[in-house]
Coordinates of all heavy atoms in Angstrom, one line a residue:
M7 N 188.7 40.4 126.2 CA 189.8 40.7 127.1 C 190.7 41.8 126.6 O 191.6 42.2 127.3 CB 190.5 39.5 127.5 CG 189.9 38.6 128.4 SD 190.1 39.3 130.0 CE 189.3 38.1 131.1
P8 N 190.6 42.3 125.4 CA 191.5 43.3 124.9 C 191.4 44.6 125.7 O 192.3 45.4 125.9 CB 191.2 43.5 123.5 CG 189.9 42.9 123.2 CD 189.7 41.9 124.3
D9 N 190.2 44.9 126.3 CA 190.0 46.1 127.1 C 190.7 46.0 128.4 O 191.3 47.0 128.8 CB 188.5 46.2 127.4 CG 187.7 46.6 126.1 OD1 188.3 47.1 125.2 OD2 186.5 46.2 126.1
M10 N 190.8 44.8 128.9 CA 191.5 44.7 130.2 C 193.0 44.9 130.0 O 193.7 45.5 130.8 CB 191.3 43.3 130.8 CG 191.9 43.1 132.2 SD 191.2 44.3 133.3 CE 190.4 43.3 134.4
S11 N 193.6 44.4 128.9 CA 195.0 44.6 128.7 C 195.4 46.0 128.4 O 196.4 46.5 128.8 CB 195.5 43.7 127.6 OG 194.9 44.0 126.4
A12 N 194.5 46.7 127.7 CA 194.7 48.2 127.5 C 194.6 48.9 128.8 O 195.4 49.9 129.0 CB 193.6 48.7 126.5
H13 N 193.7 48.6 129.6 CA 193.6 49.2 130.9 C 194.8 49.0 131.8 O 195.4 49.9 132.4 CB 192.4 48.7 131.7 CG 192.2 49.3 133.0 ND1 191.9 50.6 133.2 CD2 192.3 48.8 134.3 CE1 191.8 50.9 134.5 NE2 192.1 49.7 135.2
L14 N 195.3 47.8 131.8 CA 196.6 47.5 132.5 C 197.8 48.2 132.0 O 198.6 48.7 132.7 CB 196.8 46.0 132.5 CG 195.9 45.1 133.4 CD1 196.1 43.6 133.2 CD2 196.0 45.5 134.8
A15 N 197.8 48.4 130.6 CA 198.9 49.1 130.0 C 198.9 50.6 130.4 O 199.9 51.2 130.7 CB 198.9 49.0 128.5
L16 N 197.7 51.1 130.5 CA 197.6 52.5 130.9 C 197.9 52.8 132.3 O 198.5 53.8 132.7 CB 196.2 53.1 130.6 CG 195.9 53.4 129.1 CD1 194.4 53.8 129.0 CD2 196.8 54.5 128.6
T17 N 197.6 51.8 133.2 CA 197.9 52.0 134.6 C 199.4 51.8 134.8 O 199.9 52.4 135.7 CB 197.2 50.9 135.5 OG1 197.5 49.6 135.0 CG2 195.7 51.2 135.4
Q18 N 200.1 51.1 133.9 CA 201.5 51.0 134.1 C 202.2 52.3 133.6 O 203.2 52.7 134.1 CB 202.1 49.9 133.2 CG 201.6 48.5 133.8 CD 202.2 48.2 135.1 OE1 203.3 48.6 135.5 NE2 201.3 47.6 136.0
L19 N 201.6 53.0 132.6 CA 202.1 54.2 132.1 C 201.9 55.4 133.0 O 202.7 56.3 133.1 CB 201.5 54.6 130.7 CG 202.0 53.7 129.6 CD1 201.2 54.1 128.3 CD2 203.4 53.8 129.3
V20 N 200.8 55.4 133.8 CA 200.5 56.5 134.7 C 200.5 55.9 136.1 O 199.4 55.5 136.6 CB 199.1 57.1 134.3 CG1 198.8 58.3 135.2 CG2 199.0 57.4 132.9
P21 N 201.6 56.0 136.8 CA 201.6 55.4 138.1 C 200.9 56.3 139.1 O 200.8 57.5 139.0 CB 203.1 55.4 138.4 CG 203.7 56.4 137.6 CD 202.9 56.5 136.3
F22 N 200.3 55.7 140.0 CA 199.5 56.4 141.1 C 200.5 56.7 142.2 O 201.2 55.9 142.7 CB 198.3 55.6 141.6 CG 197.3 55.4 140.5 CD1 197.2 54.2 139.8 CD2 196.5 56.4 140.2 CE1 196.3 54.0 138.9 CE2 195.5 56.2 139.2 CZ 195.4 55.0 138.5
A23 N 200.5 58.0 142.6 CA 201.3 58.4 143.8 C 200.4 59.1 144.7 O 200.1 60.3 144.7 CB 202.4 59.4 143.3
A24 N 199.8 58.4 145.6 CA 198.8 58.9 146.5 C 199.4 59.9 147.5 O 198.7 60.9 147.8 CB 198.2 57.7 147.3
E25 N 200.6 59.8 148.0 CA 201.1 60.7 148.9 C 201.5 62.0 148.2 O 201.5 63.1 148.8 CB 202.4 60.1 149.6 CG 202.1 58.9 150.5 CD 202.3 57.6 149.8 OE1 203.2 57.6 148.9 OE2 201.7 56.7 150.1
E26 N 201.9 62.0 147.0 CA 202.4 63.2 146.3 C 201.2 64.0 145.6 O 201.5 65.0 145.1 CB 203.4 62.8 145.2 CG 204.6 62.1 145.8 CD 205.6 61.7 144.7 OE1 205.4 62.0 143.5 OE2 206.5 61.0 145.0
L27 N 200.0 63.4 145.6 CA 198.9 64.1 144.9 C 198.3 65.2 145.8 O 197.9 65.0 146.9 CB 197.8 63.1 144.6 CG 196.6 63.6 143.9 CD1 197.0 64.1 142.5 CD2 195.5 62.6 143.8
D28 N 198.4 66.4 145.3 CA 197.8 67.6 145.9 C 196.4 67.7 145.4 O 196.1 68.0 144.2 CB 198.6 68.8 145.7 CG 198.0 70.0 146.4 OD1 197.2 69.8 147.3 OD2 198.5 71.1 146.1
K29 N 195.4 67.5 146.2 CA 194.0 67.5 145.8 C 193.5 68.9 145.3 O 192.5 69.1 144.6 CB 193.1 67.0 146.9 CG 193.3 65.6 147.2 CD 192.3 65.0 148.1 CE 192.7 63.6 148.5 NZ 191.7 62.6 148.0
N30 N 194.3 70.0 145.7 CA 193.9 71.3 145.2 C 194.5 71.7 143.9 O 194.2 72.7 143.3 CB 194.3 72.4 146.2 CG 193.6 72.2 147.5 OD1 192.4 71.9 147.5 ND2 194.2 72.4 148.6
K31 N 195.5 70.9 143.4 CA 196.2 71.1 142.1 C 196.2 69.8 141.3 O 197.0 69.0 141.5 CB 197.6 71.6 142.4 CG 198.4 71.9 141.1 CD 199.8 72.2 141.4 CE 200.6 72.4 140.2 NZ 202.0 72.6 140.4
V32 N 195.2 69.8 140.4 CA 195.1 68.6 139.5 C 195.2 69.1 138.1 O 194.5 70.0 137.7 CB 193.7 67.9 139.7 CG1 193.6 66.7 138.8 CG2 193.5 67.5 141.2
T33 N 196.1 68.5 137.3 CA 196.4 68.9 136.0 C 196.1 67.7 135.0 O 196.1 66.6 135.5 CB 197.8 69.4 135.8 OG1 198.7 68.3 136.1 CG2 198.1 70.6 136.7
P34 N 195.8 68.0 133.8 CA 195.5 66.9 132.8 C 196.7 66.1 132.5 O 196.6 64.9 132.2 CB 195.0 67.6 131.6 CG 195.5 69.0 131.7 CD 195.6 69.3 133.2
G35 N 197.9 66.6 132.6 CA 199.1 65.8 132.4 C 199.4 65.5 131.0 O 198.9 66.1 130.1
V36 N 200.2 64.5 130.8 CA 200.7 64.1 129.4 C 199.6 63.5 128.6 O 199.4 63.9 127.4 CB 201.9 63.1 129.5 CG1 202.3 62.6 128.2 CG2 203.0 63.7 130.3
L37 N 198.7 62.7 129.2 CA 197.6 62.1 128.5 C 196.7 63.2 128.0 O 196.2 63.1 126.8 CB 196.9 61.1 129.4 CG 195.7 60.4 128.7 CD1 196.3 59.5 127.5 CD2 195.0 59.5 129.7
G38 N 196.4 64.2 128.7 CA 195.5 65.3 128.3 C 196.2 66.1 127.2 O 195.5 66.5 126.2
F39 N 197.5 66.3 127.2 CA 198.2 67.0 126.1 C 198.1 66.2 124.9 O 197.9 66.7 123.8 CB 199.6 67.3 126.5 CG 200.4 67.9 125.4 CD1 200.2 69.2 125.0 CD2 201.3 67.1 124.7 CE1 200.9 69.7 124.0 CE2 202.0 67.6 123.7 CZ 201.9 68.9 123.3
V40 N 198.3 64.9 125.0 CA 198.3 64.0 123.8 C 197.0 64.0 123.1 O 196.8 64.1 121.9 CB 198.8 62.6 124.1 CG1 198.6 61.6 123.0 CG2 200.3 62.6 124.5
V41 N 195.9 63.9 123.9 CA 194.6 63.9 123.4 C 194.3 65.2 122.7 O 193.7 65.3 121.6 CB 193.5 63.6 124.5 CG1 192.1 63.9 124.0 CG2 193.7 62.2 125.0
F42 N 194.7 66.3 123.3 CA 194.4 67.7 122.7 C 195.2 67.8 121.5 O 194.7 68.3 120.5 CB 194.8 68.8 123.7 CG 194.6 70.1 123.2 CD1 193.3 70.7 123.2 CD2 195.6 70.9 122.7 CE1 193.1 72.0 122.8 CE2 195.4 72.2 122.3 CZ 194.1 72.7 122.3
A43 N 196.5 67.3 121.4 CA 197.3 67.5 120.2 C 196.7 66.6 119.1 O 196.7 67.1 117.9 CB 198.7 67.0 120.5
V44 N 196.2 65.4 119.4 CA 195.6 64.6 118.3 C 194.4 65.3 117.8 O 194.2 65.3 116.6 CB 195.3 63.2 118.9 CG1 194.4 62.4 118.0 CG2 196.6 62.4 119.2
M45 N 193.6 65.8 118.7 CA 192.4 66.5 118.2 C 192.7 67.7 117.4 O 192.1 68.0 116.3 CB 191.5 66.9 119.4 CG 190.8 65.7 120.0 SD 189.9 66.2 121.5 CE 188.7 67.3 120.9
A46 N 193.8 68.5 117.7 CA 194.2 69.6 117.0 C 194.7 69.2 115.6 O 194.3 69.9 114.6 CB 195.3 70.4 117.7
V47 N 195.4 68.2 115.5 CA 195.9 67.7 114.2 C 194.8 67.2 113.3 O 194.7 67.5 112.1 CB 197.0 66.6 114.4 CG1 197.3 65.9 113.1 CG2 198.2 67.1 115.0
A48 N 193.8 66.5 114.0 CA 192.6 66.1 113.2 C 191.8 67.2 112.6 O 191.4 67.2 111.5 CB 191.7 65.2 114.1
V49 N 191.6 68.3 113.4 CA 190.9 69.5 113.0 C 191.6 70.1 111.8 O 191.1 70.6 110.8 CB 190.6 70.4 114.1 CG1 190.1 71.8 113.6 CG2 189.6 69.8 115.1
W50 N 193.0 70.2 112.0 CA 193.8 70.9 110.9 C 193.7 70.1 109.6 O 193.5 70.7 108.5 CB 195.2 70.9 111.4 CG 196.2 71.5 110.4 CD1 196.2 72.8 110.0 CD2 197.1 70.8 109.6 NE1 197.2 72.9 109.0 CE2 197.8 71.7 108.8 CE3 197.5 69.4 109.6 CZ2 198.8 71.3 107.9 CZ3 198.5 69.1 108.7 CH2 199.1 70.0 107.8
M51 N 193.7 68.7 109.7 CA 193.6 67.9 108.5 C 192.2 68.0 107.9 O 192.1 68.1 106.7 CB 193.9 66.5 108.8 CG 195.4 66.2 109.2 SD 195.7 64.5 109.7 CE 195.3 63.6 108.3
L52 N 191.2 68.1 108.7 CA 189.8 68.3 108.2 C 189.7 69.6 107.5 O 189.0 69.7 106.4 CB 188.8 68.2 109.3 CG 188.5 66.8 109.8 CD1 187.6 66.8 111.0 CD2 187.8 66.0 108.7
M53 N 190.2 70.7 108.1 CA 190.2 72.0 107.4 C 190.9 72.0 106.1 O 190.5 72.6 105.1 CB 190.7 73.1 108.4 CG 189.9 73.3 109.6 SD 188.3 74.0 109.3 CE 188.8 75.6 108.8
K54 N 192.1 71.4 106.1 CA 192.8 71.3 104.8 C 192.1 70.5 103.8 O 192.0 71.0 102.6 CB 194.2 70.6 105.2 CG 195.2 70.7 104.1 CD 196.5 70.1 104.5 CE 197.5 70.1 103.4 NZ 198.8 69.6 103.9
S55 N 191.4 69.4 104.1 CA 190.6 68.7 103.2 C 189.4 69.5 102.7 O 189.1 69.4 101.5 CB 190.2 67.4 103.9 OG 189.3 66.7 103.0
M56 N 188.8 70.2 103.6 CA 187.6 71.0 103.2 C 188.0 72.1 102.3 O 187.4 72.3 101.3 CB 187.0 71.6 104.5 CG 185.7 72.4 104.1 SD 185.0 73.3 105.5 CE 186.3 74.5 105.7
N57 N 189.2 72.7 102.5 CA 189.7 73.8 101.6 C 190.0 73.2 100.3 O 189.6 73.8 99.2 CB 190.9 74.4 102.3 CG 191.3 75.7 101.6 OD1 190.5 76.2 100.8 ND2 192.5 76.1 101.8
R58 N 190.5 72.0 100.2 CA 190.8 71.4 98.9 C 189.5 71.1 98.1 O 189.4 71.3 96.9 CB 191.6 70.1 99.1 CG 192.2 69.6 97.9 CD 193.2 68.4 98.2 NE 193.6 68.4 99.6 CZ 193.6 67.3 100.3 NH1 193.4 66.1 99.8 NH2 194.0 67.3 101.6
H59 N 188.5 70.5 98.9 CA 187.3 70.2 98.2 C 186.5 71.4 97.8 O 185.9 71.4 96.7 CB 186.4 69.3 99.1 CG 186.8 67.9 99.2 ND1 187.8 67.5 100.0 CD2 186.4 66.8 98.5 CE1 188.0 66.2 99.9 NE2 187.1 65.8 98.9
M60 N 186.5 72.5 98.6 CA 185.8 73.7 98.2 C 186.5 74.4 97.0 O 185.9 75.1 96.2 CB 185.8 74.7 99.4 CG 184.9 74.2 100.5 SD 183.2 74.0 100.1 CE 182.7 75.7 100.0
G61 N 187.8 74.2 96.9 CA 188.5 74.7 95.7 C 188.1 74.0 94.4 O 188.2 74.6 93.3
K62 N 187.6 72.8 94.5 CA 187.2 72.1 93.3 C 185.8 72.5 92.8 O 185.5 72.3 91.7 CB 187.2 70.6 93.6 CG 188.5 70.0 93.8 CD 188.4 68.5 94.0 CE 189.8 67.9 94.3 NZ 189.7 66.4 94.7
V63 N 185.1 73.2 93.7 CA 183.7 73.6 93.3 C 183.8 74.8 92.4 O 184.4 75.8 92.7 CB 182.9 73.9 94.6 CG1 181.5 74.5 94.2 CG2 182.8 72.7 95.5
S64 N 183.1 74.6 91.3 CA 183.0 75.8 90.4 C 181.5 76.1 90.1 O 180.8 75.3 89.6 CB 183.7 75.5 89.0 OG 183.0 74.4 88.4
F65 N 181.1 77.2 90.6 CA 179.7 77.7 90.5 C 179.7 78.9 89.6 O 180.1 80.0 90.1 CB 179.1 77.9 91.8 CG 177.7 78.4 91.8 CD1 176.7 77.5 91.4 CD2 177.4 79.7 92.1 CE1 175.4 78.0 91.4 CE2 176.1 80.2 92.0 CZ 175.1 79.3 91.6
D66 N 179.2 78.8 88.4 CA 179.0 80.0 87.6 C 177.5 80.2 87.4 O 176.8 79.4 86.9 CB 179.6 79.7 86.2 CG 181.1 79.6 86.3 OD1 181.7 80.2 87.2 OD2 181.7 78.8 85.5
E67 N 177.1 81.3 87.9 CA 175.6 81.7 87.8 C 175.4 82.1 86.4 O 176.0 83.1 85.9 CB 175.3 82.7 88.8 CG 173.8 83.0 88.9 CD 173.4 83.9 90.0 OE1 174.2 84.1 90.9 OE2 172.4 84.6 89.9
G68 N 174.5 81.4 85.7 CA 174.1 81.8 84.4 C 173.2 83.0 84.3 O 172.5 83.4 85.3
A69 N 173.1 83.6 83.2 CA 172.2 84.7 83.0 C 170.7 84.3 83.0 O 170.4 83.1 82.6 CB 172.5 85.5 81.7
E70 N 169.8 85.1 83.6 CA 168.4 84.7 83.6 C 167.8 84.8 82.2 O 168.2 85.7 81.4 CB 167.7 85.7 84.5 CG 168.0 85.5 86.0 CD 167.1 86.3 86.9 OE1 166.0 86.7 86.4 OE2 167.5 86.6 88.0
P71 N 166.9 83.9 81.9 CA 166.2 84.0 80.6 C 165.5 85.3 80.5 O 165.0 85.9 81.5 CB 165.2 82.9 80.6 CG 165.7 82.0 81.8 CD 166.5 82.8 82.7
K72 N 165.4 85.9 79.3 CA 164.8 87.2 79.1 C 163.3 87.2 79.4 O 162.8 88.2 79.8 CB 165.0 87.6 77.6 CG 166.5 87.9 77.4 CD 166.7 88.3 75.9 CE 168.2 88.5 75.8 NZ 168.7 88.4 74.4
G73 N 162.6 86.1 79.2 CA 161.2 86.1 79.4 C 160.8 85.9 80.9 O 159.7 86.1 81.3
A74 N 161.7 85.5 81.7 CA 161.4 85.2 83.1 C 161.5 86.5 83.9 O 162.5 87.2 83.9 CB 162.3 84.1 83.7
A75 N 160.5 86.7 84.7 CA 160.5 87.9 85.6 C 161.1 87.4 86.9 O 161.0 86.3 87.3 CB 159.1 88.4 85.8
P76 N 161.8 88.3 87.6 CA 162.4 87.9 88.9 C 161.3 87.6 89.9 O 160.3 88.3 90.0 CB 163.2 89.2 89.3 CG 162.8 90.3 88.4 CD 162.1 89.7 87.2
A77 N 161.5 86.6 90.7 CA 160.5 86.1 91.7 C 160.5 87.1 92.8 O 161.5 87.5 93.3 CB 160.8 84.7 92.1
K78 N 159.3 87.4 93.3 CA 159.2 88.3 94.4 C 159.2 87.5 95.7 O 158.6 86.4 95.7 CB 157.9 89.1 94.4 CG 157.9 90.1 93.2 CD 156.6 90.9 93.2 CE 156.6 91.8 92.0 NZ 155.4 92.6 91.9
S79 N 159.9 87.9 96.7 CA 159.9 87.1 97.9 C 158.6 87.2 98.7 O 158.0 88.3 98.8 CB 161.1 87.6 98.8 OG 160.8 88.9 99.2
G80 N 158.2 86.1 99.2 CA 156.9 86.0 100.0 C 155.7 85.8 99.2 O 154.6 85.6 99.8
T81 N 155.7 85.9 97.9 CA 154.5 85.7 97.1 C 154.7 84.6 96.1 O 155.8 84.4 95.6 CB 154.1 87.0 96.3 OG1 155.2 87.3 95.4 CG2 153.8 88.1 97.2
A82 N 153.7 83.8 95.9 CA 153.8 82.7 95.0 C 153.1 83.0 93.7 O 152.1 83.7 93.7 CB 153.2 81.4 95.6
A83 N 153.6 82.6 92.6 CA 153.0 82.9 91.3 C 151.7 82.1 91.2 O 151.7 80.9 91.4 CB 153.9 82.6 90.1
Q84 N 150.6 82.7 90.9 CA 149.3 82.0 90.8 C 148.9 82.0 89.3 O 148.9 83.1 88.7 CB 148.3 82.7 91.6 CG 148.6 82.7 93.1 CD 147.5 83.5 93.9 OE1 146.6 84.0 93.3 NE2 147.7 83.5 95.2
E85 N 148.6 80.9 88.8 CA 148.2 80.7 87.4 C 146.8 80.1 87.3 O 146.3 79.4 88.1 CB 149.2 79.9 86.7 CG 150.5 80.6 86.6 CD 151.5 79.8 85.7 OE1 151.1 79.1 84.8 OE2 152.7 79.9 86.0

């Protein structure tokens, strides 16, 4: 029954006004703004976290061994 109480709470927050509703002009309202703002904050936090994790990565390409020839693309070494 927790779903029913949440539904009732939302219907109390968003009253229905049938006479005042213009069917040609429908906007997302406050709930749409709140959802968009939460998603924007979540994306910002994910980007910040990704930037922090990428900063921790250290990739140093070592020198190739002298005896190894560079691999040619598209051909496999046959022995």
Side-chain angles (χ1 to χ4, degrees):
M7 282 282 182
D9 293 332
M10 185 58 115
S11 62
H13 177 69
L14 289 174
L16 283 176
T17 56
Q18 294 296 322
L19 290 174
V20 184
F22 294 103
E25 294 97 30
E26 297 176 11
L27 180 65
D28 183 12
K29 294 191 186 242
N30 295 325
K31 181 182 175 188
V32 179
T33 62
V36 176
L37 184 62
F39 174 75
V40 169
V41 169
F42 182 78
V44 167
M45 288 175 59
V47 168
V49 168
W50 178 72
M51 289 174 62
L52 283 170
M53 292 293 289
K54 191 173 178 182
S55 175
M56 184 187 69
N57 192 16
R58 192 172 345 136
H59 282 85
M60 292 299 285
K62 291 180 184 178
V63 174
S64 62
F65 177 74
D66 296 327
E67 186 174 338
E70 289 188 22
K72 293 178 181 161
K78 294 180 182 178
S79 63
T81 60
Q84 297 177 359
E85 293 182 31

